[in-house]
Amino acid sequence: MSPLLTVARTEIRLLWADRTALWASLVFLAATAYALASGLGMRADRDASVGALVTADNERWSGWHAEADSLEQDMQAEGVALDTYEWGVRSPYTVGMFYGREVAVPPPPLSALAVGQADLYPAAHRIVAASTVSVGSSDALTSPLRLAAGAFDLAFVLLYLLPLLALALGYDLTASERERGTLRLVLAQPLSRRTLVAGKLLARGGLLALLVVVATTAGFVLAGGDVARWALWTAAALCYGLFWLALAALVDARGTSAASNAVVLATCWLGLAVVFPATVTLLAGQVHPVPTRAAFVAAARTAEGEVLRRGDEPLSLFLADHPEMAEAVEGGGGGETYAMTRIARDALVAEAVGPVVARFAEQREQQVGFVRTVGALSPTVLAHAAFLNLAGTGDAQQRQALDAVTAYQRAWQDYVEPLTFAARPFRAAAYAEAPT
């Protein structure tokens, strides 16, 4: 057997006899089990919430559909034209602007392993035919530290507890033996210092890798992830853990005491895993500040007040910009004109608020780019980004989901507005043909 493997076998026996590594491993596995239970519970709660919202929305929609169908049957029995415009379940304005639909955003299956941004966005969005859009559920980029610390999931365990385990295994590779004077006796044998350190690292790194594989495999089995994502997640976790073990070996190679090594490594962990990510996020907010929600609300209220003072002028402006709808207007007054005017006013308010929303999106993208660039100096930020992307709970995935919701809102608006401007009722058949 080669000297390297001999040293590794001896190190494994020493670790087993000391039992400190065993207890540290058991604590890590216990934390992993708790994190998986917590993550799976949060995903189950969100799934239940989304399911309840979808069920309630479908019941409401079916009820309105049945009511509209009943009204039309009564109208046919009384000889009333079905194209008669009226308020209520047969009014496109009422259905489009007040009833609307609930669009659920189910959590990704692997959100149980890395909650990420999934808990910062609503489980469902109420969709109406309004033009005014919201700036989202958060006014600023969320700190990678806050995202990981917000939920005790597998990502938290790997990001914060795995480094501590790696440092505990590596801070005293040769320091204690050097202090006791036994290192010289060991090196007096036909064994180089490099082989001794490599053997110790092989044994301790093997233990660390085994724990990572067990933790990630258990997580993916319970969460239902595919093999490819499991392999990538495991590879990212292994690289992250081995980085900290290599850092511990580098500090131990300075030749200082075990206590000194522990202090230096604890400082490194605190700086790279905790302080630096938070500092980068704070700097991103200072360098690329986004408009606050108060600014958005103030702009919306100012625009709305200005539009209201202009009376019926917004309707004329809206029809001038949408001649295809102007051709469909058949005149009339009362409810039809009121609904048209409200839609026109809403469009003008959205246009006035648009620059604030655009600036929010622009500044937020610059924040994301800043954190992505500067945060690359921290292994914790890099590993966190990898975990969130693999779990489908990162900022980019959440933005894609919101883009899909926005696209549905536009489709809903394009379906309702022409009916309103043509003073046509929202017939029972329209419930079945509406965008889904």
Side-chain angles (χ1 to χ4, degrees):
M1 182 179 294
S2 67
L4 178 64
L5 295 180
T6 300
V7 172
R9 288 185 60 184
T10 302
E11 187 67 16
I12 292 175
R13 291 173 182 171
L14 292 175
L15 289 174
W16 178 259
D18 183 52
R19 297 301 173 94
T20 301
L22 175 61
W23 283 110
S25 300
L26 291 177
V27 170
F28 177 81
L29 292 177
T32 299
Y34 179 79
L36 291 177
S38 176
L40 291 169
M42 286 187 290
R43 190 187 70 179
D45 291 342
R46 192 172 177 93
D47 284 337
S49 176
V50 167
L53 288 170
V54 170
T55 300
D57 181 69
N58 289 335
E59 290 177 353
R60 286 193 300 267
W61 190 253
S62 299
W64 295 327
H65 187 185
E67 185 178 351
D69 185 63
S70 177
L71 287 174
E72 291 186 359
Q73 291 179 13
D74 293 341
M75 293 171 67
Q76 286 179 328
E78 297 172 2
V80 179
L82 296 181
D83 287 335
T84 303
Y85 188 95
E86 57 184 317
W87 290 101
V89 294
R90 297 185 72 250
S91 165
Y93 181 75
T94 302
V95 175
M97 296 291 289
F98 294 99
Y99 291 176
R101 297 301 305 265
E102 292 281 350
V103 177
V105 183
L110 295 182
S111 62
L113 306 184
V115 173
Q117 298 245 9
D119 64 342
L120 301 180
Y121 291 88
H125 300 262
R126 179 172 171 76
I127 300 300
V128 295
S131 299
T132 306
V133 296
S134 171
V135 295
S137 62
S138 177
D139 288 333
L141 183 68
T142 302
S143 165
L145 171 65
R146 177 185 172 188
L147 291 181
F152 194 87
D153 50 21
L154 182 60
F156 180 95
V157 172
L158 295 177
L159 288 172
Y160 293 99
L161 302 188
L162 179 63
L164 293 177
L165 178 61
L167 297 181
L169 290 174
Y171 85 100
D172 188 20
L173 289 176
T174 59
S176 294
E177 291 175 312
R178 189 186 307 110
E179 293 174 14
R180 293 193 300 264
T182 57
L183 181 61
R184 292 183 179 182
L185 295 177
V186 173
L187 295 179
Q189 307 297 322
L191 180 69
S192 66
R193 181 188 295 267
R194 179 177 301 178
T195 302
L196 175 65
V197 173
K200 288 176 174 287
L201 284 175
L202 179 62
R204 302 185 183 209
L207 174 60
L208 191 70
L210 176 62
L211 293 173
V212 168
V213 172
V214 170
T216 57
T217 301
F220 272 75
V221 169
L222 294 173
D226 57 79
V227 176
R229 288 180 183 271
W230 168 83
L232 292 173
W233 182 293
T234 303
L238 286 174
C239 291
Y240 183 63
L242 292 178
F243 164 82
W244 290 101
L245 185 62
L247 179 63
L250 182 63
V251 171
D252 181 76
R254 298 180 310 142
T256 55
S257 65
S260 175
N261 293 346
V263 172
V264 171
L265 291 172
T267 304
C268 290
W269 175 83
L270 185 64
L272 292 176
V274 179
V275 176
F276 184 79
T279 303
V280 169
T281 302
L282 292 176
L283 287 176
Q286 295 295 324
V287 176
H288 304 288
V290 300
T292 63
R293 187 174 300 277
F296 174 81
V297 173
R301 289 178 177 175
T302 301
E304 186 175 3
E306 178 62 27
V307 169
L308 288 175
R309 284 193 294 270
R310 296 165 69 178
D312 293 334
E313 181 184 355
L315 178 57
S316 301
L317 295 174
F318 183 86
L319 293 178
D321 293 336
H322 300 80
E324 73 284 357
M325 292 188 183
E327 297 175 359
V329 174
E330 300 175 355
E336 299 95 322
T337 304
Y338 171 80
M340 297 173 191
T341 303
R342 286 295 301 270
I343 291 177
R345 289 174 178 172
D346 181 75
L348 291 180
V349 171
E351 182 180 353
V353 178
V356 178
V357 179
R359 177 167 173 76
F360 177 91
E362 179 185 359
Q363 292 294 94
R364 196 176 190 286
E365 287 301 318
Q366 290 180 353
Q367 282 190 359
V368 172
F370 181 88
V371 171
R372 185 182 298 115
T373 301
V374 181
L377 299 175
S378 169
T380 301
V381 175
L382 292 176
H384 189 208
F387 294 151
L388 294 188
N389 288 332
L390 290 171
T393 55
D395 181 76
Q397 291 89 341
Q398 296 300 323
R399 286 290 162 182
Q400 290 176 358
L402 289 179
D403 289 342
V405 172
T406 301
Y408 176 77
Q409 190 272 338
R410 299 304 180 197
W412 181 251
Q413 184 177 356
D414 292 340
Y415 184 76
V416 171
E417 284 186 353
L419 293 175
T420 303
F421 278 84
R424 294 168 53 194
F426 201 87
R427 301 265 314 262
Y431 281 90
E433 299 170 357
T436 56

